[in-house]
């Protein structure tokens, strides 16, 4: 989602129910997209070994040659638009790789890769609220859970199928209704955790619903049933979809809550201060990995940042080594030791009793104001042995 002059590029996602013919056509398209992507990646990898570079235009010419061979003639049976788009996506992946923003592109797996196909304006027709894709006679039966922006017409359409077998269509449109909100003087520090999902500098705590924990028994049962089925059988495919539906239920509920929280925080505050956490390293702790993944701190930050950009708010990120928990927000005294099981503590300097999480949020807010004033991140001396990265202090050693 990006912001342009006077308007926002916004994706609207809907669920749809294809006919048998449409499902078969889309499944063929997904397979062809994966095949072309892998062929192009193999060609570019071989060229890279020869110290040569192949760009999008050269892979597009290769696609034309592939279609004329008897072995790959089936590529002509699907729309050429998604095939060209996957080559553009591969070009973007290599651009990020050469810019050292991502790892080397990987081949798409038939079982594990996301099933999707992207259509540009030449690959679909959108008239009177009906969407018809190339190579299809009938429009898709879309459940319009919310209307598109008035007068908006999609520039690209992405069709996908998740592991649970659900079909989705995402339409990228210009949304002029998203405008900056009126500026306010309010600011808030946000400390994320596991016992409470969020602790705010205002003193408010938002409980962690632990969506995965509520469905853990159901998920375990579905996974046990899956493990008992013979590989390649229809029963195994049914069991896999059943387990995927449990995962989808958990993810949907988690995403819905995060959308509500981030929208509320962005609407109420002009400045939002968060901590820069390396979640990728933190989940290496196998005791806490499940709880950290369920809290979804990275997705929370991502939503907060793009919504702040939409509505003219500012997100300030404080360095991860800032001792927000051990620092007294009243007098600034730094405690030498604070075990992870201590949730309330009394400052030795001023005698103030603090709630660990709320105190951390207040310190983050103060550090965020310093970042705004100085234009630099807060990075005190590392306190961990050997100068190694320390895990977030607010995370307890065992999942609550």
């Amino acid at each position: 989602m990006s912001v342009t002059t006077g308007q926002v590029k916004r994706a609207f996602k809907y669920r749809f129910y294809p006919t048998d013919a449409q499902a078969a056509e889309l499944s063929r398209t997904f397979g062809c997209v994966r095949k072309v992507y892998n062929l192009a990646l193999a060609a570019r990898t071989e060229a890279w070994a020869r110290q040569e570079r192949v760009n999008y235009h050269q892979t597009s010419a290769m696609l034309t040659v592939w279609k004329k061979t008897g072995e790959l003639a089936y590529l002509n049976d699907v729309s050429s638009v998604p095939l060209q788009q996957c080559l553009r996506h591969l070009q973007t992946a290599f651009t990020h790789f050469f810019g050292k923003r991502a790892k080397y592109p990987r081949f798409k797996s038939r079982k594990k890769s996301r099933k999707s196909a992207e259509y540009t304006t030449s690959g679909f027709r959108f008239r009177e609220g009906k969407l018809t894709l190339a190579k299809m006679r009938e429009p898709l039966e879309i459940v319009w859970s919310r209307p598109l922006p008035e007068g908006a017409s999609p520039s690209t359409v992405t069709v996908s199928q998740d592991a649970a077998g659900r079909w989705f269509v995402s339409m990228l449109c210009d949304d002029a209704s998203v405008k900056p909100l009126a500026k306010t003087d309010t600011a808030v520090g946000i400390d994320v955790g596991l016992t409470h999902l969020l602790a705010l500098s205002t003193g408010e705590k938002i409980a962690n619903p632990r969506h995965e924990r509520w469905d853990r028994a159901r998920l375990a049962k579905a996974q046990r049933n899956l493990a008992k089925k013979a590989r390649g059988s229809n029963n195994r495919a049914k069991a896999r979809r059943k387990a995927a539906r449990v995962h989808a239920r958990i993810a949907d509920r988690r995403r819905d809550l995060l959308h509500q929280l981030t929208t509320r925080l962005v609407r109420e505050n002009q400045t939002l201060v968060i901590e820069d956490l390396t979640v990728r390293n933190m989940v290496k702790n196998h005791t806490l990995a499940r709880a950290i993944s369920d809290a979804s701190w990275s997705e929370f930050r991502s939503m907060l940042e793009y919504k702040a950009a939409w509505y003219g708010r500012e997100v300030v990120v404080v360095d991860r080594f800032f001792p927000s928990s051990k620092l007294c927000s009243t007098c600034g005294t730094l405690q030498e030791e604070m075990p992870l099981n201590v949730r309330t503590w009394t400052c030795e300097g001023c005698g103030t009793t603090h709630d660990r999480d709320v105190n951390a949020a207040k310190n983050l807010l103060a550090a965020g104001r310093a970042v705004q004033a100085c234009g630099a991140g807060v990075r005190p001396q590392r306190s961990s042995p050997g100068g190694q990265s320390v895990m977030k202090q607010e995370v307890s050693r065992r999942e609550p």
Side-chain angles (χ1 to χ4, degrees):
M1 303 179 186
S2 59
V3 180
T4 57
T5 305
Q7 60 187 3
V8 168
K9 283 283 188 182
R10 189 175 181 182
F12 293 82
K13 191 174 182 178
Y14 305 93
R15 190 172 178 180
F16 74 97
Y17 297 87
T19 63
D20 292 341
Q22 290 173 340
E25 176 63 29
L26 289 173
S27 296
R28 283 195 298 269
T29 303
F30 295 158
C32 291
V33 166
R34 183 180 63 253
K35 181 66 174 179
V36 170
Y37 185 94
N38 289 341
L39 286 173
L41 177 55
R44 297 186 68 148
T45 302
E46 293 174 0
W48 177 257
R50 300 191 302 268
Q51 297 184 347
E52 299 176 2
R53 285 198 179 184
V54 176
N55 57 27
Y56 159 74
H57 298 288
Q58 291 170 297
T59 55
S60 180
M62 293 178 187
L63 175 59
T64 303
V65 176
W66 294 335
K67 287 183 176 181
K68 295 179 180 180
T69 62
E71 184 180 352
L72 300 174
Y74 61 86
L75 296 177
N76 294 289
D77 297 336
V78 302
S79 172
S80 62
V81 176
L83 305 183
Q84 293 289 344
Q85 286 301 102
C86 82
L87 296 179
R88 292 189 175 93
H89 294 163
L90 180 60
Q91 177 64 36
T92 302
F94 271 100
T95 300
H96 291 322
F97 167 70
F98 291 128
K100 297 183 179 180
R101 296 185 296 272
K103 294 182 179 180
Y104 193 82
R106 296 183 298 179
F107 290 95
K108 291 183 179 293
S109 168
R110 181 178 181 181
K111 295 182 179 180
K112 297 181 180 180
S113 297
R114 180 172 179 259
K115 299 178 181 179
S116 66
E118 185 178 273
Y119 296 79
T120 57
T121 51
S122 60
F124 66 88
R125 182 175 67 251
F126 184 73
R127 295 177 184 174
E128 299 179 355
K130 294 183 178 181
L131 177 67
T132 306
L133 301 178
K135 300 285 186 176
M136 294 186 185
R137 297 180 179 180
E138 300 177 358
L140 301 180
E141 185 181 347
I142 300 175
V143 179
W144 297 99
S145 53
R146 55 176 174 168
L148 288 175
E150 185 177 355
S153 180
S155 57
T156 61
V157 169
T158 302
V159 182
S160 61
Q161 185 184 27
D162 66 4
R166 301 179 300 177
W167 295 86
F168 295 95
V169 57
S170 180
M171 305 182 190
L172 187 65
C173 305
D174 291 327
D175 189 0
S177 63
V178 178
K179 298 179 180 179
L181 299 172
K183 290 188 176 181
T184 66
D185 297 329
T186 56
V188 66
I190 305 171
D191 180 70
V192 298
L194 297 180
T195 304
H196 291 87
L197 184 62
L198 302 178
L200 308 182
S201 56
T202 58
E204 179 184 359
K205 287 186 173 182
I206 298 172
N208 184 0
R210 297 184 177 91
H211 298 294
E212 186 272 341
R213 194 173 189 180
W214 283 105
D215 281 335
R216 187 172 298 175
R218 183 182 301 177
L219 179 60
K221 181 179 179 180
Q223 290 176 331
R224 283 196 301 269
N225 291 335
L226 174 61
K228 295 176 182 178
K229 307 302 180 184
R231 291 185 177 274
S233 65
N234 291 333
N235 286 336
R236 183 178 177 85
K238 293 178 183 178
R240 183 193 57 78
R241 285 194 294 269
K242 190 171 183 179
R245 282 195 292 269
V246 180
H247 279 294
R249 168 186 165 88
I250 296 171
D252 290 345
R253 291 162 61 198
R254 180 190 299 126
R255 192 179 303 110
D256 179 65
L257 175 65
L258 292 180
H259 271 300
Q260 294 181 39
L261 291 177
T262 52
T263 298
R264 173 201 151 191
L265 291 171
V266 167
R267 289 186 180 278
E268 293 178 353
N269 301 279
Q270 180 66 35
T271 303
L272 305 103
V273 185
I274 59 176
E275 189 176 4
D276 183 22
L277 299 177
T278 53
V279 179
R280 179 179 298 179
N281 292 335
M282 295 171 71
V283 295
K284 293 179 181 179
N285 182 331
H286 297 288
T287 305
L288 298 171
R290 172 178 278 180
I292 293 174
S293 298
D294 190 33
S296 196
W297 295 335
S298 295
E299 189 171 9
F300 170 78
R301 174 176 174 175
S302 176
M303 289 183 181
L304 202 66
E305 289 178 336
Y306 80 70
K307 290 180 182 181
W310 280 3
Y311 297 110
R313 303 310 199 196
E314 183 179 5
V315 175
V316 179
V317 181
V318 177
D319 190 86
R320 67 181 67 101
F321 298 108
F322 178 66
S324 57
S325 295
K326 297 192 295 183
L327 188 67
C328 177
S329 58
T330 302
C331 66
T333 301
L334 181 64
Q335 305 298 311
E336 294 183 2
E337 296 290 339
M338 186 174 294
L340 291 169
N341 61 344
V342 175
R343 309 316 299 175
T344 59
W345 58 281
T346 302
C347 176
E348 298 175 355
C350 63
T352 304
T353 299
H354 295 289
D355 178 281
R356 183 190 187 106
D357 299 328
V358 175
N359 176 69
K362 291 180 179 179
N363 286 325
L364 288 174
L365 176 59
R369 293 188 184 278
V371 171
Q372 285 183 306
C374 303
V378 178
R379 192 183 186 91
Q381 184 177 1
R382 302 184 182 187
S383 57
S384 59
Q388 296 178 352
S389 175
V390 294
M391 179 169 285
K392 179 176 171 57
Q393 300 169 11
E394 288 73 8
V395 177
S396 57
R397 293 189 182 277
R398 294 184 180 179
E399 180 184 351

